[in-house]
Amino acid sequence: MGRRDIEFDAEGVILRGWFYRADGVSGRAPTVVLAHGFSAVKEMYLDSFAEVFAAAGLNALVFDNRNFGDSDGEPRQEIDPWQQVRDYRHAITYAGTLDEVDPERIGVWGSSYSGGHALVLGAIDRRVKAVVTQVPLVSGSANIGELVRADFRAGFRAQFDADRAARFAGDPPAMVPVVAENPLAPSALPTADSWTWFTETGKTRAPAWRNEVTLRTVEMLGEYEPESYIGRISPTPLLMLVARDDHLTPARLAIDAYERAREPKKLVILPGGHFDAYVAGFDRASGPARDWFVEHLGAGA
């Protein structure tokens, strides 16, 4: 299978990634657009998913989110979810300019934070003909309510307000770790499995990953509500992959959101926790996603 480096202009910011050519296809092929979740970079197993899709006759376009990895953008390490949604749309536009891509057969895949983006994209961008969302964030406010103790929240609010004033005065943004070894220490993703996956994957696959995001990133997370769009995805086909023991983006929140989606839709319950979909449970997660795209986009001509 062929993979080449790509870059494209997202209204003034250059985003970079990889394009995987569909195996055994000579003409235009359906294409899946993929970006990663909260602070992660493309080397953290997105290549594995893209290879599965390409082997099934699907092109795959993978890119690093702005402010992260190989992509440009400032401030570094800041996640604005709505900007990331817009960048997916730029990626879809770019894909449509490529000779190998059938612009009428484009799907989006997202995981965790970008799983929320996939829900929004399915609702607002009708160029998207199939959606796969894996272990998705469906509600930022509900997610923070699950992960942050109630008696800590006022302190976070005071930090957000102080950071806003400092940035207005010209100071650099305050930073917070993505993960911490002690789940009770300040971090954006305060679970033990988050610490394990990010630190191990960063060490073995993605040395460019950095364990920090801007404090404002966490504030914007709490404001982001992808589930409010889920009823509008129909008639675009939606596959949701939910991990049974997920406590980072809790399974029950995703399943509740799925019940509000309309047909055509499918729910697959994966064994294990949030990060198993990338590693131990990779085949269980990538197989249904591949099959969904082949069913609804077709294989390459």
Side-chain angles (χ1 to χ4, degrees):
M1 100 188 34
R3 180 181 104 178
R4 67 176 186 265
D5 293 339
I6 58 167
E7 62 177 44
F8 57 95
D9 183 357
E11 293 187 338
V13 171
I14 301 301
L15 306 183
R16 298 183 179 87
W18 302 314
F19 182 81
Y20 287 76
R21 178 59 165 146
D23 279 4
V25 179
S26 57
R28 293 181 181 269
T31 301
V32 180
V33 176
L34 307 86
H36 224 316
F38 193 93
S39 88
V41 293
K42 63 186 183 301
E43 289 81 5
M44 294 168 129
Y45 297 102
L46 289 195
D47 48 346
S48 301
F49 285 93
E51 288 165 5
V52 167
F53 299 153
L58 304 157
N59 297 322
L61 193 157
V62 179
F63 68 97
D64 273 329
N65 289 303
R66 73 170 58 209
N67 308 337
F68 289 87
D70 291 330
S71 289
D72 292 345
E74 298 286 344
R76 300 304 290 174
Q77 305 299 116
E78 179 154 287
I79 305 170
D80 178 337
W82 286 107
Q83 186 63 69
Q84 291 189 348
V85 167
R86 287 192 289 273
D87 287 340
Y88 258 98
R89 302 185 82 178
H90 295 315
I92 292 167
T93 302
Y94 167 68
T97 70
L98 301 177
D99 292 340
E100 303 97 327
V101 171
D102 179 349
E104 298 303 315
R105 294 190 291 163
I106 288 179
V108 295
W109 177 99
S111 186
S112 195
Y113 209 16
S114 66
H117 305 344
L119 296 174
V120 176
L121 288 156
I124 67 175
D125 197 324
R126 290 300 166 196
R127 297 174 299 173
V128 174
K129 300 303 194 296
V131 176
V132 173
T133 180
Q134 174 180 286
V135 295
L137 173 102
V138 295
S139 167
S141 60
N143 223 87
I144 285 180
E146 292 277 336
L147 294 178
V148 180
R149 276 175 31 181
D151 55 331
F152 287 0
R153 288 177 211 153
F156 268 118
R157 173 55 53 197
Q159 290 179 51
F160 296 152
D161 293 344
D163 179 54
R164 192 172 289 279
R167 292 171 81 139
F168 185 78
D171 291 342
M175 308 299 288
V176 64
V178 177
V179 293
E181 189 166 12
N182 175 4
L184 294 179
S187 70
L189 305 178
T191 68
D193 59 342
S194 298
W195 165 260
T196 299
W197 186 80
F198 273 102
T199 55
E200 290 182 355
T201 307
K203 193 179 304 178
T204 59
R205 294 180 65 97
W209 176 77
R210 289 165 52 187
N211 186 20
E212 62 176 3
V213 289
T214 65
L215 181 64
R216 184 164 66 173
T217 290
V218 182
E219 184 177 33
M220 288 188 281
L221 164 64
E223 299 165 353
Y224 187 46
E225 302 293 333
E227 67 178 352
S228 65
Y229 287 81
I230 200 164
R232 292 166 49 189
I233 296 172
S234 175
T236 303
L238 168 67
L239 172 66
M240 185 180 285
L241 302 158
V242 176
R244 183 184 302 277
D245 301 318
D246 194 337
H247 51 262
L248 181 62
T249 55
R252 65 174 184 81
L253 297 179
I255 294 169
D256 284 349
Y258 176 81
E259 291 302 314
R260 294 192 290 278
R262 296 157 65 194
E263 299 290 347
K265 63 179 181 177
K266 182 178 182 180
L267 175 67
V268 173
I269 305 295
L270 304 173
H274 186 83
F275 296 98
D276 286 320
Y278 304 104
V279 194
F282 173 76
D283 291 343
R284 298 283 289 269
S286 60
R290 172 200 62 213
D291 295 347
W292 192 254
F293 286 129
V294 169
E295 177 183 355
H296 295 288
L297 302 178

